Amino acid sequence: MKKFTLLSLLILICCCFQVKAQQYVTTEPTNKNVVLEEFTGKNCGWCPAGHLIANQISEANPGRFWAVNVHAGFMSPTSYPNFNTAKSTIIDNKFNGSSYPTGVVNRSTTVAQSRGQWASLTNAQLAMPSCANIGGVCIIDPATRIATINIEIYYTSNGTGNSNKVTIAMLQNNVLGFQNGMSDNPSQIIGGQYNHMHALRDIITNTWGDEVTNISQGSLVELTYTYEIPEIIGDPNGINVVLEDLEFLVWVAETDYNIITANELEVIFGSDKPINPAIKTLKQVEGIYCGNIRPIETEILNGGLDDITSLEVEIDLDGEITTQVIEENIPSYTKATIGFDIEVSESEHTLTFTIIKINGEEIEQNNSTTKEITITSAEWSAVDGIIQSITLRIWQDRFGNQIKWKFLSSNLEVIAEGGPYTILPEPGTRLHEHVIPITSDDCIQLVMTDLAGNGFNNGNGEGHYELEDSNGNIIFESDATFTKEEITNYSVRVTLGIDENNNNVIIYPNPASDHIIVSDIENIKAINIYDISGKTVYQTNNISKEINISAFNSGIYFIRLFMEDGSMINEKLIKE
């Protein structure tokens, strides 16, 4: 039997046409975000290698780095797709003009730099404090192609000079076409064509930005722009501007040079229709789950002029349909998140979520009012009885340097981790034993990894591993013949193993730097402290109130108190 339980509806982000103070930016000091203006062209054989480097920098710095692909110059022909624009040429002439691929990082140099310099220049910029924070939202009416853009700039310290410049750039993704040297960036090859990303299509402000004069500490600058998005950009062989593929960046700079900070604008599709809902996202919430319950979240956008006061939604799970009515107010141009649980058996399932009524009235169905995802349900095991720890025993093979492992809690926090180990002089095994204290009832996951992708029982020693609970029961055994990783989930209970009569024992301070105090030591017969890998780093039967931890490395530790009555108390300790 599948079960649907509606949990909650929360307003997460309010994106209205009326701008409110500090709606999009924080007033706390931050470091700079980074824009890389990457000068490129379809005929440039080395440019895909540059795109790959930019992608890697972006992946390493999510939400803090953006690439702008500026197509211009002799490497950028006007054959389809023609990315050239007058503003791209102006920017290329100022910073580059002769070599591709090159780029300027936050316009911190007067000339473009080679791709080998981008990462180090980016890291230097990311480490610098910014005098301002910038952010905003872009609301697009698909019917009219009118974009309404609201910007906020908050100065956490005084800006340089008498004025700064704010720039809004429109980029387009997912344009398929020719690219010389595309084999150097195979992830962007689709059906034999190159998937061009982050291509500069227009600068909505003046090319070098619009002047901002109120740049003293504590100033909040609020700007609103209205922009009609063209159907096609480029002549000849222009490119259709697909609204769903657009990306908007905003940055503020000291002058034409030296970008202070940047940000990506959230894009919301709204309209002048009274009712215009859309499902933005539908996803299984990340986490580790035992049993058959899976939490799901969907993000709903009210893209119409009228407030939504109720939604009727249909949840189709493998053909079994449940209808729910949600009574909640969602103001115009506002997003809301709906969370609910589903009950599924093991293996994969298809979940379709559809909005069928708004404010009691049926709505016209389209691609925006329904969304489908695949739900996964992993196998799990219940650890019988009450436990206080799990012992992991690993018999490595010769290449222990390829073995790593970690235990995760249900919220994906690392409970313990270890490896890699040393290489043995010849094929064989060596035992490693780790005791992992379990401090609360939870669903936990063990991820065992072999970095070479062939397990650790493949002819270089009969490697294997096992798990034993604190009651002496072997709860899992593996011959380690997996490939890259092996994942197992466990439901564990420890609550009844803690003597409630001893709950007045207090360990403080926590976090601690050089010592900890243990109160009420009269009923304690032994104390053990373990590091995050399960290794015992301290143990004593000579109990004293103060324990010196100054020699411990910074990190997470587990304290186990063995009580006179046979019970145990587990506490987590953070060493600063």
Side-chain angles (χ1 to χ4, degrees):
M1 175 65 68
K2 304 178 181 76
K3 179 183 66 177
F4 173 89
T5 304
L6 188 64
L7 295 181
S8 61
L9 186 145
L10 302 173
I11 301 299
L12 290 186
I13 305 173
C14 178
C15 299
C16 308
F17 279 114
Q18 181 180 0
V19 181
K20 300 178 181 179
Q22 288 93 44
Q23 185 174 349
Y24 311 115
V25 295
T26 178
T27 59
E28 298 297 322
T30 60
N31 283 358
K32 290 186 173 187
N33 294 334
V34 172
V35 170
L36 165 67
E37 289 164 280
E38 183 180 355
F39 301 105
T40 187
K42 294 183 298 180
N43 285 351
C44 169
W46 292 106
C47 283
H51 302 160
L52 178 61
I53 290 173
N55 292 344
Q56 291 168 341
I57 298 173
S58 179
E59 290 170 3
N61 302 282
R64 297 199 60 202
F65 171 91
W66 298 272
V68 177
N69 285 15
V70 181
H71 291 254
F74 65 94
M75 287 290 185
S76 186
T78 58
S79 57
Y80 183 84
N82 178 10
F83 292 101
N84 298 326
T85 70
K87 292 180 180 178
S88 296
T89 300
I90 292 171
I91 297 171
D92 180 76
N93 287 340
K94 187 179 186 73
F95 290 103
N96 183 46
S98 61
S99 181
Y100 305 89
T102 55
V104 283
V105 176
N106 268 0
R107 297 183 177 176
S108 57
T109 56
T110 57
V111 295
Q113 304 295 302
S114 67
R115 63 186 184 276
Q117 303 297 315
W118 297 348
S120 60
L121 289 170
T122 295
N123 290 335
Q125 288 289 305
L126 290 171
M128 293 181 182
S130 171
C131 67
N133 301 319
I134 193 167
V137 65
C138 175
I139 303 172
I140 299 175
D141 184 340
T144 63
R145 301 180 70 89
I146 298 295
T148 301
I149 301 172
N150 295 325
I151 304 296
E152 286 182 356
I153 310 170
Y154 184 85
Y155 282 84
T156 57
S157 60
N158 291 330
T160 301
N162 297 320
S163 64
N164 291 157
K165 290 186 174 181
V166 62
T167 300
I168 303 172
M170 183 177 74
L171 318 181
Q172 186 169 349
N173 297 310
N174 303 316
V175 179
L176 296 179
F178 169 78
Q179 175 63 59
N180 191 16
M182 64 182 181
S183 60
D184 286 339
N185 188 19
S187 65
Q188 286 184 219
I189 299 175
I190 299 177
Q193 293 185 297
Y194 195 70
N195 188 26
H196 292 274
M197 302 292 288
H198 321 300
L200 179 62
R201 309 308 294 127
D202 200 3
I203 300 291
I204 294 170
T205 56
N206 291 322
T207 303
W208 302 111
D210 292 342
E211 189 176 33
V212 174
T213 57
N214 191 7
I215 63 173
S216 60
Q217 182 176 3
S219 296
L220 175 67
V221 179
E222 300 173 290
L223 303 169
T224 298
Y225 291 83
T226 300
Y227 172 75
E228 184 174 355
I229 301 172
E231 295 276 355
I232 297 175
I233 296 179
D235 185 24
N237 301 311
I239 301 167
N240 291 329
V241 181
V242 179
L243 298 182
E244 290 77 13
D245 291 333
L246 294 180
E247 181 180 353
F248 293 82
L249 298 181
V250 60
W251 62 81
V252 59
E254 293 180 358
T255 57
D256 294 354
Y257 302 92
N258 297 325
I259 292 176
I260 296 168
T261 197
N263 216 332
E264 183 175 357
L265 299 177
E266 182 182 16
V267 176
I268 292 178
F269 288 95
S271 73
D272 57 0
K273 297 179 181 179
I275 301 295
N276 185 38
I279 302 172
K280 295 286 287 182
T281 61
L282 181 68
K283 64 181 180 180
Q284 179 176 326
V285 179
E286 290 188 4
I288 297 165
Y289 305 104
C290 290
N292 297 327
I293 303 299
R294 294 293 178 271
I296 308 297
E297 282 186 355
T298 181
E299 193 175 55
I300 307 295
L301 167 69
N302 179 2
L305 297 176
D306 291 350
D307 289 359
I308 292 176
T309 58
S310 70
L311 304 91
E312 186 170 332
V313 298
E314 181 181 275
I315 295 89
D316 183 338
L317 182 60
D318 297 334
E320 184 173 323
I321 297 175
T322 304
T323 302
Q324 295 284 329
V325 176
I326 305 165
E327 302 289 344
E328 186 70 36
N329 185 65
I330 309 175
S332 174
Y333 302 115
T334 297
K335 287 193 302 183
T337 295
I338 299 171
F340 57 92
D341 283 348
I342 59 169
E343 184 175 346
V344 294
S345 58
E346 294 173 3
S347 74
E348 292 187 347
H349 304 268
T350 300
L351 174 70
T352 305
F353 187 93
T354 304
I355 302 172
I356 55 178
K357 290 183 180 181
I358 295 292
N359 300 340
E361 300 293 331
E362 291 188 4
I363 61 172
E364 181 181 351
Q365 296 298 308
N366 55 54
N367 291 336
S368 297
T369 58
T370 188
K371 193 171 285 288
E372 180 181 289
I373 59 168
T374 299
I375 306 298
T376 58
S377 180
E379 296 181 359
W380 63 281
S381 300
V383 179
D384 295 330
I386 309 303
I387 68 169
Q388 284 77 40
S389 64
I390 290 178
T391 299
L392 169 63
R393 297 187 185 95
I394 300 173
W395 287 265
Q396 72 164 86
D397 66 357
R398 180 182 183 187
F399 296 104
N401 63 317
Q402 299 172 355
I403 301 171
K404 296 185 71 175
W405 58 269
K406 60 183 176 181
F407 279 94
L408 300 172
S409 65
S410 57
N411 63 359
L412 301 180
E413 178 184 353
V414 176
I415 300 172
E417 60 186 339
Y421 305 105
T422 58
I423 301 178
L424 303 181
E426 58 186 20
T429 62
R430 177 178 294 172
L431 172 63
H432 306 276
E433 186 169 287
H434 306 275
V435 178
I436 293 85
I438 304 300
T439 60
S440 63
D441 295 358
D442 199 4
C443 179
I444 63 174
Q445 183 179 89
L446 170 62
V447 181
M448 184 66 67
T449 304
D450 182 77
L451 301 179
N454 57 3
F456 49 95
N457 184 359
N458 54 34
N460 292 293
E462 295 183 3
H464 58 287
Y465 68 98
E466 68 180 21
L467 295 175
E468 180 182 310
D469 67 22
S470 54
N471 297 318
N473 302 309
I474 301 299
I475 57 177
F476 182 75
E477 294 178 284
S478 172
D479 62 6
T481 57
F482 59 90
T483 53
K484 184 176 181 180
E485 67 180 18
E486 188 166 48
I487 297 174
T488 50
N489 299 317
Y490 303 91
S491 173
V492 296
R493 291 188 299 149
V494 301
T495 305
L496 299 180
I498 298 177
D499 188 346
E500 295 182 357
N501 294 324
N502 292 317
N503 61 9
N504 58 336
V505 176
I506 300 173
I507 298 174
Y508 64 95
N510 192 0
S513 57
D514 54 7
H515 73 278
I516 56 174
I517 303 296
V518 181
S519 69
D520 193 27
I521 64 173
E522 289 77 10
N523 296 318
I524 303 173
K525 67 177 182 180
I527 300 176
N528 284 12
I529 302 179
Y530 309 89
D531 66 13
I532 197 169
S533 73
K535 178 182 177 182
T536 303
V537 296
Y538 177 90
Q539 58 183 356
T540 184
N541 296 320
N542 185 18
I543 309 302
S544 61
K545 292 182 69 70
E546 183 174 318
I547 300 175
N548 187 343
I549 62 168
S550 59
F552 290 11
N553 294 326
S554 297
I556 297 175
Y557 294 83
F558 301 96
I559 302 175
R560 172 163 295 166
L561 307 178
F562 297 85
M563 311 305 293
E564 293 287 354
D565 62 3
S567 66
M568 287 180 275
I569 296 177
N570 298 300
E571 295 286 346
K572 182 189 290 186
L573 169 68
I574 299 176
K575 168 63 166 62
E576 295 181 325

